Amino acid sequence: MRVSDADRERIAELLRDAYAEGRLDADEHAERIGAAYAAKTFGDLVPLTRDLPSHRAVSFDKPPLHAAEPAPAAARPLPPAREEAPSVVAIFGGASRKGRWRVGSQLTAFTAFGGVEIDLTDAVFESPEVEIVVTAIFGGVEIRVPENVTLLGSGVGIFGGFDVREQTAADPYAPVVRVKGLALFGGCEAKPRRGKKLKEWVRKQLGTE
């Protein structure tokens, strides 16, 4: 039988969990994720999780037509994501952007004699690539991203520091966060937050399907 997008995504989620637990390395995870999304039949999907003891066996058996469908578990509704301005500014003070908010393709952070905190770990990504332009003058900017996105940096520190802990996500379709800019007598630090994964990441939403 041929598989649906929901069947492929079910296996992909199991593979992401196995990668987070250390049962798969980055190469194995990327290879199996690619095979999952390329699968045409159930026979293509079953071997991808067969050697993962932490997960129960995956069954694609369909219940008889006369059998009652089990009631779906009630899901806790998420609050609506906030619409925010594409810039965060702090002058002689502090500013933060965190929680459940919508982030687009461009974001700027400016601080002078102050501090800015940008937390993307619970944000709703609306673009496959987010560019954050930082200007820190006698101040600091701290950026945190989910551990399952790609993080790249190209900033300059003058009498200061511009530290971006780059990482490449195992999934080639993962969103990309690029941090660039200038730290003058100040600093910028961008790094992934371990244990925090991007929750609302739908390929159709990001335009890759």
Side-chain angles (χ1 to χ4, degrees), residues 88-93 108-118 132-143 155-163 179-190:
V88 186
V89 179
I91 301 175
F92 289 98
T108 60
F110 176 85
T111 181
F113 299 94
V116 167
E117 179 186 5
I118 298 174
I132 303 177
V133 180
V134 172
T135 304
I137 303 173
F138 291 95
V141 175
E142 182 181 288
I143 300 169
V156 177
I158 301 176
F159 294 101
F162 206 105
D163 179 22
V179 180
K180 65 180 185 179
L182 170 69
L184 177 64
F185 291 97
C188 173
E189 181 187 54

Side-chain angles (χ1 to χ4, degrees), residues 36-55:
Y37 285 114
K40 301 297 184 184
T41 67
F42 290 121
D44 297 329
L45 287 178
V46 170
L48 299 178
T49 59
R50 184 174 289 159
D51 62 344
L52 300 178
S54 63
H55 302 294

Side-chain angles (χ1 to χ4, degrees), residues 3-201:
V3 296
S4 66
D5 287 342
D7 296 323
R8 297 185 188 95
E9 193 60 41
R10 180 183 176 190
I11 294 298
E13 186 61 32
L14 291 177
L15 293 173
R16 293 187 190 107
D17 290 343
Y19 175 61
E21 295 166 1
R23 298 187 183 276
L24 297 175
D25 61 29
D27 291 338
E28 290 172 325
H29 177 255
E31 180 181 354
R32 296 194 192 193
I33 281 285
Y37 285 114
K40 301 297 184 184
T41 67
F42 290 121
D44 297 329
L45 287 178
V46 170
L48 299 178
T49 59
R50 184 174 289 159
D51 62 344
L52 300 178
S54 63
H55 302 294
R56 59 182 175 81
V58 178
S59 172
F60 294 99
D61 292 337
K62 303 298 181 183
L65 293 177
H66 62 274
E69 291 276 339
R76 181 182 299 177
L78 293 172
R82 306 189 311 274
E83 294 285 350
E84 296 281 4
S87 61
V88 186
V89 179
I91 301 175
F92 289 98
S96 65
R97 185 74 54 83
K98 61 176 67 176
R100 186 171 156 79
W101 58 288
R102 296 184 180 275
V103 57
S105 60
Q106 293 281 339
L107 184 65
T108 60
F110 176 85
T111 181
F113 299 94
V116 167
E117 179 186 5
I118 298 174
D119 190 339
L120 298 173
T121 55
D122 291 316
V124 177
F125 281 63
E126 296 187 327
S127 173
E129 185 167 318
V130 180
E131 182 180 79
I132 303 177
V133 180
V134 172
T135 304
I137 303 173
F138 291 95
V141 175
E142 182 181 288
I143 300 169
R144 296 292 179 265
V145 304
E147 66 174 5
N148 58 337
V149 305
T150 293
L151 177 61
L152 303 173
S154 58
V156 177
I158 301 176
F159 294 101
F162 206 105
D163 179 22
V164 178
R165 300 187 190 177
E166 295 188 341
Q167 68 172 17
T168 301
D171 192 327
Y173 295 103
V176 178
V177 178
R178 299 182 185 273
V179 180
K180 65 180 185 179
L182 170 69
L184 177 64
F185 291 97
C188 173
E189 181 187 54
K191 66 180 182 180
R193 176 163 286 170
R194 300 304 174 193
K196 296 289 288 186
K197 293 186 177 182
L198 181 62
K199 299 182 180 68
E200 294 185 68
W201 162 29

